[in-house]
Amino acid sequence: MRPLAVIGNVNVDLILGPAAPWPKAGTEIIVDHDELRVGGSAGNSALTWQALGIEFEIAANIGSDQFGRWLAEAFGRRSEKWPVRPEQTTLSVGITHPDGERTFFTTRGHLPRFSLADVFAVVDGARLRGGYALLCGGFLTDDLTRQYDAFFDWAESHDITVALDTGWPLDGWTEQNCAATRAWLSRSGIALLNEVESTTLAGVADPIEAARHISSHMPNGAIVVVKRGPDGAIAIGPDGQLVSVAAPVVAVVDTIGAGDVFNAAFLAALAKDEPLLSCLRAGTEVASRAISTIPRSYGDPTSPQEPRS
């Protein structure tokens, strides 16, 4: 199996809900579900690999408070070299809604101070040679994002394929944010985007055409994946062929982090040199199980259990 690493945002998620309609100011409501858990794109992907028994490295930083220590404890030996910042740990409160949508309230916290030096404190290029580095949260990790060119240079020099998932920009998909993402994709071997991200970047409404457009601006042999939630996922493979899978029908409990879980399961299958169709199927099935179980369960991407229907 090719080596795997995830690099990016790890923070605390407090999930509450469902809430509908949105309460008036000054009032209080009772919700049925709450969960305090490790979050952030990198954190969610790493939790998936950890639950599936996949060997990996994770480069992140933490704040100098109780939450920071709690995050480090969740990953044991893998967090021993994480730098501790003097800021408070970033906290996201996610309010879920009955239609499956969610609203986040997030503090800036420690994430903007995650840097390239923090990556090198954990990830060894020689150990990761020939493998995959999942790069997450580009719009939250300010210090590292400014050093992305140097990061891509390092990855290329060690024959490491970068799988990019930027996450949602805090100020939306402005032209500046789109231009930055296109530049990062031009140096990535794998794009892991959701439907809105892909169609926005490509400037076309059809996700298949969007995937083809993005593929044309990436290196030869790149893979473009478009995650479509309940509609499954599609991908343009290294040979330019379209591959698609449907998602299992499940009773959704909590969709937060679904795309991150997909990323982890997809890359775990890819690292085993599984066919692209099998990788897509692993991503959709493991993510579907995760969003439909309490406590969250991931199963096995090589022989997934049926999600709850």
Side-chain angles (χ1 to χ4, degrees), residues 82-100:
W82 288 2
V84 179
R85 296 294 311 179
E87 291 83 9
Q88 290 184 317
T89 298
T90 302
L91 171 66
S92 280
V93 178
I95 309 298
T96 63
H97 307 293
D99 62 359

Side-chain angles (χ1 to χ4, degrees), residues 10-240:
V10 177
N11 55 262
V12 176
D13 276 356
L14 174 59
I15 314 302
L16 299 169
W22 194 256
K24 294 181 180 180
T27 65
E28 180 179 10
I29 64 171
I30 300 297
V31 296
D32 295 330
H33 173 63
D34 71 273
E35 187 174 359
L36 182 69
R37 66 182 185 225
V38 175
S41 293
N44 290 326
S45 295
L47 282 180
T48 306
W49 283 338
Q50 190 164 275
L52 296 174
I54 303 295
E55 186 55 43
F56 68 96
E57 293 181 321
I58 174 169
N61 69 340
I62 51 176
S64 55
D65 55 12
Q66 283 182 295
F67 277 146
R69 292 189 292 274
W70 180 70
L71 289 175
E73 288 171 1
F75 291 103
R77 62 175 177 81
R78 293 188 173 95
S79 66
E80 290 175 353
K81 296 180 181 179
W82 288 2
V84 179
R85 296 294 311 179
E87 291 83 9
Q88 290 184 317
T89 298
T90 302
L91 171 66
S92 280
V93 178
I95 309 298
T96 63
H97 307 293
D99 62 359
E101 289 300 321
R102 66 268 186 159
T103 304
F104 287 103
F105 298 85
T106 303
T107 63
R108 292 192 63 80
H110 71 287
L111 290 181
R113 300 286 74 84
F114 183 52
S115 70
L116 189 60
D118 296 343
V119 175
F120 292 158
V122 177
V123 179
D124 179 81
R127 278 200 308 270
L128 194 55
R129 183 176 295 276
Y132 298 100
L134 174 57
L135 183 61
C136 307
F139 294 112
L140 298 172
T141 57
D142 297 3
D143 288 357
L144 176 60
T145 302
R146 284 191 288 268
Q147 299 169 301
Y148 265 13
D149 282 341
F151 173 82
F152 282 112
D153 288 343
W154 168 82
E156 185 176 333
S157 70
H158 289 89
D159 190 29
I160 298 166
T161 300
V162 176
L164 181 70
D165 186 343
T166 63
W168 195 268
L170 296 179
D171 53 348
W173 285 101
T174 63
E175 182 49 44
Q176 182 179 359
N177 289 334
C178 288
T181 301
R182 293 186 195 105
W184 303 335
L185 287 168
S186 73
R187 303 195 65 185
S188 301
I190 303 169
L192 295 163
L193 307 171
N194 65 35
E195 190 165 339
V196 174
E197 292 163 351
S198 61
T199 55
T200 301
L201 285 171
V204 296
D206 182 75
I208 295 175
E209 291 307 311
R212 293 195 186 282
H213 176 85
I214 293 167
S215 177
S216 70
H217 293 282
M218 293 180 68
N220 290 334
I223 297 171
V224 178
V225 176
V226 179
K227 297 169 283 186
R228 306 189 65 202
D231 294 324
I234 62 173
I236 304 297
D239 56 0

